[in-house]
Amino acid sequence: MTLTPGGTAHRRTLRWQTARVLAVRDETPRARTFRLALPEPRPHLPGQYYVVRLTAPDGYTASRDYSVASPPDDTGEIELTVERLDDGEVSEFLHDVVVPGDELEVRGPIGYFGWDASSPALLVGGGSGVVPLMAMLRHARRIGRPDLVRLVVSARSPEDLYYADELPGPETTVIYTRHAPPDAGRAVGRLAIADVAPLVRGGETAYVCGSSGFADAATHVLIEAGVQVQDIRVERFGPSG
Amino acid sequence: MAGITRGFVGRRRERDSRLPPGQYDARDEWPVLHAEATPNITTDRWTFTIEGLVENTVTWDWDEIHALPRSRYEGDIHCVTTWSKLGMTFDGVSVDTLLAAAKPQPSATHVMAVSHTGYTTNLPLDDITGGKAWVVWDADGEPLSTIHGGPARLLVPHLYFWKSAKWVSGLRLMDHDEQGFWERNGYHDRGDPWTEQRYQGD
Ligand SMILES: Cc1cc2nc3c(=O)[nH]c(=O)nc-3n(C[C@H](O)[C@H](O)[C@H](O)COP(=O)(O)OP(=O)(O)OC[C@H]3O[C@@H](n4cnc5c(N)ncnc54)[C@H](O)[C@@H]3O)c2cc1C
């Protein structure tokens, strides 16, 4: 086990801070991106997340984790992309109530699922699991090293694809599980070895993110495609209700 | 005190009183969360050592630790990533039994739990004595699977589960606190689920 790469070793206190919502925009009919200004910006590693805490007038709170979608930069701002879950306490609130000018308590960045852009990365995401991987791709493009990254995104249909404008590129592969556009060049179906095997170069770290079921399936596919199990990092987005 | 979020009232779904704040019941699922790849530690290679500020450094192998008096934990477990599992059963040996053989020196106040993978996590000695911690190899009557830390893991169920080091290889007794893997990465030094000691500063 390697204990250091990707982690931010820090002893500092992760204090709550009050972020201001600068902008809200739709990624898909069910996913929305929130741009937040942080009074105390802290550098994140692409892949890390923030905790968002909501507080009711009587002190009741609900907190959930959301990956940073934006690359690290010097704007003092971050973007979170949130999928709306039916009857989801926090995601429905963020979608239905929050508008620019609102304040949200956040804390971060947190997490070991981070890529420091020092070595090649194979990224495999499903659904909202693409969010932290998008931060990695954006970072790679921003620093002029898109060659370090291969991103495979699994989406149900074109309407469900996050960051559709930004994704196309030599680094990216989109697979559709239910409905594909006519020019997709691949039949609909779940992630398979054939999707991943051509992208395995040897020596990369694989970052897998999505629901627990997607994460397990993708991990199997990666191992069958020749990625060593110790080179696979996984982030699971379990609902928390 | 937290600032009030405009427009938020909350759902307040009915909650099991065994769930600490911010936790949900994972029911039949037992999520797997560890930063490192799953190692394969066979029982013939597994050992457990207590060292540091003790009168005797003691190492048990698989057969030796199984020859000690058994101890069972029946209750709940809580992961910092917000799942809890209620009514689990774990079988193994009490850490009290192991420490009795090693005899901590009076100056020992903290321990570093260490794993065969290199994973570490720190604990106050008080949190693993007095019937509060175990080294376990069975979960719900079955051998602990590798992904859950088998062949044996530490079990400190009153703290968040990252303290219950998987693939545990021993305890090092110290006269001071020192951060382990997740604690250096921002997690809390103690990790009490009931007061939500999730991250440094809670
Ligand atoms: C490290 C990490 C990073 C993450 N990053 C992202 C991200 O970038 N984007 C993203 O969208 N999500 C992300 N998530 C998931 C996110 O944290 C939340 O789990 C998600 O938004 C759901 O929260 P919620 O409050 O909306 O739903 P919850 O209220 O927690 O409910 C979840 C689901 O369970 C159901 N449910 C809950 N309680 C009940 C009940 N009593 N009875 C019946 N049904 C119930 C709800 O219908 C809902 O569909 C991440 C999670 C982790 C752990």
Side-chain angles (χ1 to χ4, degrees):
Chain A
M1 170 189 188
T2 357
L3 289 175
T4 37
T8 41
H10 57 76
R11 281 160 188 275
R12 72 176 170 244
T13 296
L14 276 179
R15 267 176 306 167
W16 289 101
Q17 51 176 316
T18 304
R20 179 169 294 274
V21 178
L22 296 175
V24 180
R25 69 168 187 272
D26 286 341
E27 299 292 349
T28 74
R30 299 190 61 83
R32 197 167 271 191
T33 293
F34 299 85
R35 187 164 186 89
L36 307 178
L38 302 173
E40 288 178 61
R42 300 196 187 96
H44 67 275
L45 274 180
Q48 288 190 303
Y49 65 90
Y50 272 72
V51 187
V52 175
R53 177 169 73 183
L54 310 178
T55 304
D58 65 353
Y60 171 88
T61 63
S63 317
R64 299 289 187 272
D65 303 334
Y66 293 102
S67 307
V68 183
S70 49
D73 58 25
D74 50 16
T75 58
E77 299 167 10
I78 54 166
E79 289 189 349
L80 309 179
T81 303
V82 178
E83 178 185 7
R84 181 199 181 100
L85 296 189
D86 293 332
D87 202 28
E89 182 172 31
V90 173
S91 65
E92 278 200 343
F93 174 83
L94 293 173
H95 274 248
D96 294 348
V97 179
V98 171
V99 293
D102 279 342
E103 291 186 329
L104 291 174
E105 281 192 300
V106 300
R107 157 158 89 163
I110 299 167
Y112 183 75
F113 190 81
W115 177 63
D116 65 4
S118 67
S119 55
L122 175 54
L123 319 176
V124 184
S128 59
V130 70
V131 176
L133 309 180
M134 194 63 196
M136 299 178 190
L137 174 64
R138 285 170 166 160
H139 182 56
R141 286 176 173 171
R142 199 169 168 267
I143 63 171
R145 291 303 309 272
D147 58 297
L148 286 175
V149 166
R150 298 283 182 276
L151 170 64
V152 183
V153 179
S154 170
R156 280 161 192 260
S157 65
E159 304 81 72
D160 298 310
L161 182 64
Y162 293 19
Y163 319 118
D165 298 344
E166 245 181 287
L167 272 179
E171 322 90 341
T172 59
T173 308
V174 179
I175 64 169
Y176 295 100
T177 57
R178 301 267 175 84
H179 306 282
D183 60 349
R186 176 192 183 277
V188 293
R190 292 184 173 204
L191 182 75
I193 303 172
D195 298 312
V196 172
L199 308 174
V200 176
R201 294 173 280 185
E204 65 266 85
T205 303
Y207 293 84
V208 174
C209 189
S211 66
S212 205
F214 177 84
D216 287 338
T219 304
H220 273 121
V221 166
L222 284 165
I223 291 168
E224 301 219 344
V227 180
Q228 299 292 309
V229 65
Q230 64 270 18
D231 295 331
I232 303 174
R233 304 252 191 99
V234 180
E235 184 103 297
R236 291 160 200 268
F237 284 8
S240 54
Chain B
M1 185 50 218
I4 291 164
T5 315
R6 184 189 68 82
F8 181 66
V9 287
R11 289 286 163 79
R12 301 153 215 263
R13 295 181 172 111
E14 201 179 310
R15 290 171 55 82
D16 194 305
S17 62
R18 292 172 294 175
L19 286 176
Q23 297 294 113
Y24 76 99
D25 183 352
R27 298 179 195 277
D28 297 335
E29 274 197 55
W30 187 355
V32 177
L33 290 148
H34 47 265
E36 69 271 57
T38 307
N40 184 20
I41 291 142
T42 50
T43 53
D44 57 317
R45 287 198 298 128
W46 184 88
T47 56
F48 185 86
T49 300
I50 300 190
E51 60 188 354
L53 297 176
V54 288
E55 283 177 32
N56 319 308
T57 298
V58 190
T59 298
W60 291 267
D61 66 17
W62 190 249
D63 292 337
E64 288 163 348
I65 206 162
H66 279 67
L68 297 173
R70 298 296 168 91
S71 178
R72 169 173 287 190
Y73 169 72
E74 285 176 338
D76 314 328
I77 59 175
H78 313 290
C79 177
V80 68
T81 60
T82 72
W83 56 264
S84 294
K85 276 184 79 60
L86 305 175
M88 299 280 291
T89 304
F90 289 95
D91 288 290
V93 57
S94 169
V95 169
D96 292 317
T97 305
L98 302 169
L99 285 172
K103 297 200 177 69
Q105 293 176 12
S107 58
T109 57
H110 289 79
V111 301
M112 186 70 85
V114 184
S115 291
H116 286 274
T117 55
Y119 177 83
T120 53
T121 186
N122 51 319
L123 296 134
L125 193 54
D126 284 347
D127 272 319
I128 60 159
T129 51
K132 295 198 283 288
W134 291 260
V135 170
V136 296
W137 45 79
D138 283 352
D140 286 340
E142 302 285 337
L144 189 63
S145 60
T146 310
I147 52 167
H148 292 300
R153 75 184 296 162
L154 190 64
L155 178 72
V156 192
H158 71 291
L159 299 179
Y160 283 126
F161 224 42
W162 87 81
K163 296 288 179 182
S164 294
K166 295 180 178 182
W167 315 294
V168 69
S169 66
L171 299 175
R172 180 158 49 83
L173 278 75
M174 309 179 292
D175 61 5
H176 61 280
D177 198 6
E178 211 175 275
Q179 292 182 314
F181 173 64
W182 281 122
E183 295 80 14
R184 284 195 303 275
N185 280 289
Y187 282 58
H188 198 274
D189 286 325
R190 179 150 183 270
D192 177 355
W194 293 96
T195 56
E196 287 203 81
Q197 293 174 333
R198 296 178 192 273
Y199 304 107
Q200 293 284 327
D202 282 346

